[in-house]
């Protein structure tokens, strides 16, 4: 079936059939992601052609980007109206990617949160790529005490984390979200290596693209860089999510 290369692409594998993208920055003009509604609609058109079923828009909420749930919901409603006008074949949802900083702690206490998933009990969180917050594990426990499952965005990309860190977080009940760009190689060899290890050990619970730009999305879905074992684990993960 693959006579010229042992490597495969996501677009040719069927990975996207019914796929749920749990993490992307497609809500235009609110963070460092997509800037215009036109680019958002182009990305959704590409996703439709691949067979994607649902997309969770997860704009950043952090001290440097202090988005509020009310304003994000207003912008999301505008996008939904525009997308419906194109035929709107993908189910869109609004959540958020929450930096574990003092702004998050305040909103957690007030309950001002945009949650992930049909049950409304998952909270997508992130840290700095280089260092964890001083109260990292305690803060994750506070998230759980409020009735939420913390979902750690792209654990493979945190430079400070190693295998022991991952194991401790899983023992705490933290869910892991794979950026599918990582095993493709978009973020470099270290993130690729870590993502393959996490996939091999069954640590991931859901996945997403973390898409910020159409150009990079096109590169990620078409790159023939995935070995069969990694691809099969990604397919298994995607099917579990659906």
């Amino acid at each position: 079936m693959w006579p010229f290369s042992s490597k495969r692409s996501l677009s040719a594998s069927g990975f996207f059939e019914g796929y749920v993208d749990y993490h992307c920055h497609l809500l235009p003009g609110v963070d460092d992601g997509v800037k215009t509604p036109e680019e958002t609609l182009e990305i959704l058109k590409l996703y439709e052609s691949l067979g994607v079923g649902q997309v969770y828009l997860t704009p950043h909420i952090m001290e440097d980007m202090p988005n509020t749930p009310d304003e994000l919901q207003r912008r999301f409603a505008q996008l939904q109206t525009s997308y419906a006008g194109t035929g709107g074949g993908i189910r869109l949802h609004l959540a958020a990617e929450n930096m574990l900083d003092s702004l998050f702690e305040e909103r957690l206490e007030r309950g001002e949160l945009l949650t992930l998933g049909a049950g409304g009990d998952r909270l997508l969180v992130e840290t700095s790529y280089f260092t964890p917050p001083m109260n990292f594990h305690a803060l994750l426990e506070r998230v759980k005490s409020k009735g939420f499952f913390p979902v750690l965005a792209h654990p493979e990309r945190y430079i400070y984390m190693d295998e022991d860190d991952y194991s401790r977080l899983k023992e705490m009940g933290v869910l892991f979200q794979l950026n599918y760009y990582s095993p493709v190689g978009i973020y470099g060899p270290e993130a690729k290596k870590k993502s393959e290890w996490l996939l091999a050990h069954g640590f991931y619970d859901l996945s997403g693209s973390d898409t910020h730009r159409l150009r990079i999305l096109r590169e990620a879905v078409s790159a023939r860089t995935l070995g069969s074992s990694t691809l099969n684990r990604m397919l298994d993960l995607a099917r579990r999510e659906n």
Side-chain angles (χ1 to χ4, degrees):
M1 183 177 180
W2 302 94
F4 303 112
S5 173
S6 60
K7 301 292 185 180
R8 310 183 191 183
S9 70
L10 289 174
S11 59
S13 70
F15 175 81
F16 292 105
E17 289 296 328
Y19 182 69
V20 181
D21 187 342
Y22 281 102
H23 179 183
C24 66
H25 296 270
L26 301 190
L27 191 63
V30 298
D31 60 9
D32 60 344
V34 173
K35 299 305 181 187
T36 67
E38 291 76 17
E39 184 173 6
T40 297
L41 295 177
E42 283 190 71
I43 290 171
L44 293 173
K45 182 178 179 180
L46 172 59
Y47 257 5
E48 286 180 0
S49 72
L50 292 168
V52 171
Q54 300 182 58
V55 173
Y56 282 83
L57 282 67
T58 54
H60 289 289
I61 296 181
M62 60 175 70
E63 291 173 351
D64 292 341
M65 299 175 189
N67 290 308
T68 65
D70 286 347
E71 176 61 15
L72 292 175
Q73 286 166 344
R74 186 184 70 81
R75 301 287 287 268
F76 180 62
Q78 292 175 343
L79 175 62
Q80 284 184 304
T81 299
S82 298
Y83 184 48
T86 72
I90 296 173
R91 289 177 58 195
L92 303 182
H93 311 273
L94 178 64
E97 182 180 18
N98 300 276
M99 179 64 74
L100 295 180
D101 56 19
S102 59
L103 179 61
F104 172 74
E105 295 187 60
E106 293 170 6
R107 288 189 170 168
L108 178 64
E109 291 306 312
R110 295 197 300 264
E112 296 177 2
L113 304 167
L114 293 170
T115 57
L116 194 69
D121 57 358
R122 296 179 175 185
L123 207 57
L124 187 66
V125 300
E126 65 171 338
T127 79
S128 160
Y129 288 116
F130 305 103
T131 57
M134 291 183 62
N135 58 344
F136 183 31
H137 294 97
L139 188 50
L140 292 171
E141 291 292 354
R142 282 174 58 195
V143 171
K144 292 169 57 181
S145 75
K146 298 291 185 179
F148 300 105
F149 294 98
V151 179
L152 184 62
H154 42 64
E156 71 277 358
R157 297 178 63 192
Y158 298 115
I159 294 172
Y160 65 87
M161 285 192 183
D162 59 21
E163 294 175 8
D164 289 340
D165 294 312
Y166 296 135
S167 296
R168 180 179 178 185
L169 290 169
K170 293 307 292 184
E171 289 170 0
M172 291 175 60
V174 175
L175 305 179
F176 283 10
Q177 176 256 307
L178 167 70
N179 276 11
Y180 67 69
Y181 286 22
S182 295
V184 171
I186 298 296
Y187 300 122
E190 187 63 24
K192 180 177 174 64
K193 180 181 177 181
K194 284 186 171 183
S195 68
E196 290 171 344
W197 185 88
L198 290 163
L199 279 164
H201 287 78
F203 276 24
Y204 287 115
D205 302 279
L206 61 164
S207 68
S209 65
D210 200 5
T211 292
H212 286 63
R213 299 288 183 271
L214 174 60
R215 175 183 58 82
I216 302 175
L217 174 63
R218 285 174 172 158
E219 178 184 348
V221 302
S222 62
R224 293 185 63 171
T225 58
L226 291 167
S228 59
S229 59
T230 296
L231 178 57
N232 287 337
R233 289 172 182 134
M234 293 175 70
L235 289 167
D236 288 344
L237 176 62
R239 299 300 173 260
R240 291 205 312 270
E241 296 165 9
N242 297 345

